[in-house]
Amino acid sequence: MMNVTELRNRLSQAGQAHVLQFWPELQEAQQAELYAELEAMDFEELHAFFQKATAESGRVQRAGVDARMEPVPRDVLGSATRDQDQLQAWESEGFFQISQNKVAVLLLAGGQGTRLGVAYPKGMYDVGLPSHKTLFQIQAERILKLQQLAEKYHGNKCVIPWYIMTSGRTMESTEEFFAKHKYFGLRKENVIFFQQGMLPAMTFDGKIILEEKHKVSMAPDGNGGLYRALAAQNIVQDMERRGVGCVHVYCVDNILVRVADPRFIGFCVQKGADCGAKVVEKTNPTEPVGVVCRVDGVYQVVEYSEIALATAQRRGPDGRLQFSAGNIANHFFSVPFLRDVVKVHEPQLLHHVAQKKIPCVGPQGQRVKPDKPNGIKMEKFVFDIFQFAKKFVVYEVLREDEFSPLKNADSQNGKDNPTTARHALMSLHHCWVLNAGGHFIDENGSRLPAIPRLKDANDVPIQCEVSPLVSYAGEGLESYVAGKEFHAPLIIDENGVHELVKNGL
């Protein structure tokens, strides 16, 4: 039963009475929808979020972090290139943890593919690989392969539970997609979906924005909404019930992501870390990625827009950029640390303010599509909790091995799009085949030179795809390819080796 008078009073007290201005014009179903949406909101809490977030945003702009930034010290940094003598020990530790059912993965999958030009969740996107696998399938198969490898090395069956955080917009379609594809070979009870919160978009003076006459403009509360969602849906308790000791958290849009990477996990465990960040070395000072560093002695990610050019350009004695640790939203957390975050620290996290062009309803009820920012969305970031870590570490990997995000449609500026993601994966797999002793030949039977990795967006790689069910990170391919010659396109999957075109026919 709707008590509209009471709702009107609550809205008036909160200074938000305008959201019911079109109430008399609404159909019954629309009234019910708007009522349910507003009834679920805590207007006092929302007002407090807004006040704190806008005050903090002003403080950050005035404070300037430049002078207070320090690079990551070498003693907390592990590197895939500079610590090669330790990689095997870290990997063994990681596989041991996996074999003991101590490792879970947590996927941040709340985003829709809007910038990609599709209306469905990003994880369902097919970048056009020969196999036409989606991002979700590639990640699921990497988990399956790790479980098999850990069993092979340690002799006991094990499970890597997969927690998937969706948003209100992606929950239903994501769950349907997984059910339709039989969870890609994983067991249903080990794939756990949960939903992040949503917050209304607001004008610069704190008024809730209507998207339609009967609908508030809602947006997910940022990937840092993870911690509130973990609390609300008892996810940490589920991890503890399963005996999980640590969690690998990552974003859905990186086609090269090494899910539950044994080296990263092993490195963090051996260092006794409660929190770790995987980073890639920044390619140039002005590259638009956040940087992991210390500010006033506390670890955080500083957004590229907050760093002065002179600071970004500083180099150490070895010629490397001093602030080179590019954040790729790829993190390790111990479960006790997550429990503390959820129980103690989460309420202290402040929202960040993002100014946006937000489609809305004008005073006369007409649809307005603004051409400049007309309001804010409030969001928390997953890395906001680094500050609470007792032992924080950083693990640096090669971009071409592990990071190629999918953000834009192919038509836009040639960066971070389906083509670059597809090329990055095929280029990596080409290297795996060469490293395992295989060779590629052209239509005349001449061996193709082993080209270096793609450095230019216009380089087209040899078409080569290795199923994660065959190899997680390039291991175990010798029996398929050593001493053999192949025509591209080449696919290696659980059914064997397939050359899709023979003799140019």
Side-chain angles (χ1 to χ4, degrees):
M1 182 62 195
M2 292 197 290
N3 186 337
V4 183
T5 313
E6 188 194 345
L7 178 62
R8 270 190 203 283
N9 290 340
R10 276 180 59 215
L11 284 164
S12 296
Q13 284 167 359
Q16 303 287 1
H18 65 283
V19 295
L20 290 183
Q21 66 190 34
F22 303 110
W23 186 263
E25 302 171 32
L26 301 182
Q27 295 164 4
E28 210 170 303
Q30 292 176 324
Q31 287 183 339
E33 190 182 331
L34 181 58
Y35 182 86
E37 201 163 43
L38 295 171
E39 194 58 24
M41 283 182 201
D42 180 335
F43 300 118
E44 283 174 23
E45 180 183 62
L46 191 61
H47 179 68
F49 286 168
F50 175 81
Q51 296 290 48
K52 284 182 184 161
T54 46
E56 174 68 7
S57 165
R59 192 188 67 74
V60 167
Q61 282 165 4
R62 287 190 303 278
V65 290
D66 252 48
R68 299 162 19 236
M69 283 170 61
E70 304 166 82
V72 174
R74 185 67 178 98
D75 62 325
V76 302
L77 179 75
S79 168
T81 52
R82 293 183 265 176
D83 294 319
Q84 289 192 329
D85 55 333
Q86 298 185 65
L87 295 182
Q88 192 51 57
W90 293 338
E91 186 173 303
S92 299
E93 177 70 57
F95 272 118
F96 175 70
Q97 297 291 331
I98 290 169
S99 75
Q100 302 300 299
N101 299 302
K102 296 275 186 215
V103 179
V105 288
L106 197 157
L107 164 60
L108 305 172
Q112 282 173 297
T114 317
R115 273 162 67 187
L116 273 169
V118 296
Y120 50 80
K122 253 190 202 179
M124 289 162 56
Y125 196 84
D126 160 16
V127 301
L129 291 167
S131 67
H132 290 290
K133 288 177 181 175
T134 60
L135 295 174
F136 281 145
Q137 181 170 354
I138 291 167
Q139 291 163 23
E141 291 182 353
R142 285 181 188 149
I143 293 173
L144 275 168
K145 184 63 181 172
L146 275 184
Q147 291 176 168
Q148 289 166 8
L149 287 171
E151 183 184 343
K152 182 176 139 191
Y153 299 151
H154 291 279
N156 50 302
K157 282 206 177 302
C158 58
V159 167
I160 301 171
W162 196 8
Y163 296 89
I164 299 177
M165 183 172 83
T166 64
S167 65
R169 296 179 177 157
T170 61
M171 182 81 166
E172 203 175 315
S173 44
T174 303
E175 288 198 76
E176 281 172 7
F177 189 71
F178 271 77
K180 180 178 152 196
H181 292 280
K182 301 188 168 55
Y183 298 86
F184 305 104
L186 295 164
R187 295 181 59 168
K188 180 182 178 182
E189 63 268 26
N190 299 325
V191 181
I192 303 98
F193 298 96
F194 66 107
Q195 200 167 323
Q196 77 183 103
M198 306 279 278
L199 283 172
M202 303 181 90
T203 61
F204 297 124
D205 54 359
K207 302 288 186 202
I208 291 172
I209 294 177
L210 286 177
E211 186 179 302
E212 295 176 41
K213 291 180 184 179
H214 66 288
K215 212 180 199 144
V216 173
S217 175
M218 300 290 284
D221 54 2
N223 56 23
L226 165 66
Y227 308 112
R228 195 172 160 117
L230 289 175
Q233 294 168 65
N234 299 324
I235 298 295
V236 178
Q237 286 93 314
D238 186 77
M239 291 172 178
E240 290 174 327
R241 181 181 63 75
R242 292 169 181 263
V244 170
C246 63
V247 186
H248 176 222
V249 177
Y250 68 98
C251 274
V252 73
D253 62 3
N254 175 15
I255 196 167
L256 300 184
V257 66
R258 291 192 183 177
V259 182
D261 176 10
R263 288 182 181 175
F264 180 38
I265 303 252
F267 164 72
C268 292
V269 167
Q270 288 200 346
K271 287 280 190 187
D274 51 5
C275 179
K278 186 181 270 196
V279 300
V280 295
E281 193 169 345
K282 273 183 66 167
T283 47
N284 66 53
T286 55
E287 185 187 2
V289 290
V291 169
V292 179
C293 61
R294 285 196 300 192
V295 176
D296 299 332
V298 177
Y299 284 99
Q300 67 177 74
V301 173
V302 176
E303 288 299 335
Y304 60 93
S305 54
E306 295 171 23
I307 305 172
L309 184 59
T311 307
Q313 288 174 331
R314 275 193 357 227
R315 293 185 184 270
D318 59 359
R320 290 172 183 262
L321 291 173
Q322 279 199 328
F323 295 103
S324 64
N327 174 50
I328 57 171
N330 193 315
H331 307 304
F332 166 98
F333 300 126
S334 75
V335 170
F337 176 64
L338 270 186
R339 187 182 56 234
D340 281 353
V341 164
V342 163
K343 285 193 168 160
V344 181
H345 303 302
E346 200 286 328
Q348 302 164 28
L349 295 177
L350 298 172
H351 289 88
H352 304 264
V353 169
Q355 296 197 0
K356 302 272 189 182
K357 297 179 218 171
I358 302 163
C360 58
V361 175
Q364 269 69 55
Q366 76 281 23
R367 291 287 309 225
V368 177
K369 213 170 172 192
D371 51 8
K372 59 177 193 285
N374 61 328
I376 64 163
K377 292 184 177 178
M378 295 185 290
E379 50 191 19
K380 293 180 177 179
F381 297 147
V382 76
F383 52 70
D384 288 339
I385 65 168
F386 290 179
Q387 58 183 314
F388 307 122
K390 294 184 179 67
K391 172 78 180 180
F392 181 81
V393 295
V394 175
Y395 185 62
E396 180 187 82
V397 298
L398 285 171
R399 175 187 310 258
E400 53 264 40
D401 287 349
E402 299 204 30
F403 186 57
S404 180
L406 176 64
K407 300 198 180 295
N408 307 310
D410 260 334
S411 55
Q412 294 162 349
N413 73 19
K415 204 168 172 298
D416 299 345
N417 61 37
T419 299
T420 57
R422 182 173 69 249
H423 285 185
L425 189 78
M426 293 199 297
S427 171
L428 176 63
H429 291 184
H430 173 206
C431 284
W432 288 0
V433 169
L434 297 180
N435 291 339
H439 303 277
F440 284 90
I441 53 175
D442 64 18
E443 60 273 22
N444 302 318
S446 308
R447 281 195 182 176
L448 294 166
I451 53 163
R453 299 297 278 275
L454 299 178
K455 288 291 177 241
D456 178 356
N458 300 319
D459 287 349
V460 177
I462 283 177
Q463 284 213 330
C464 173
E465 183 185 357
V466 179
S467 165
L469 298 174
V470 171
S471 182
Y472 174 80
E475 80 295 326
L477 290 175
E478 289 76 6
S479 61
Y480 291 86
V481 304
K484 296 179 183 163
E485 295 183 329
F486 302 102
H487 293 96
L490 174 72
I491 293 190
I492 303 175
D493 62 21
E494 59 280 21
N495 300 316
V497 178
H498 316 277
E499 293 170 85
L500 299 189
V501 184
K502 283 257 164 62
N503 306 325
L505 293 175

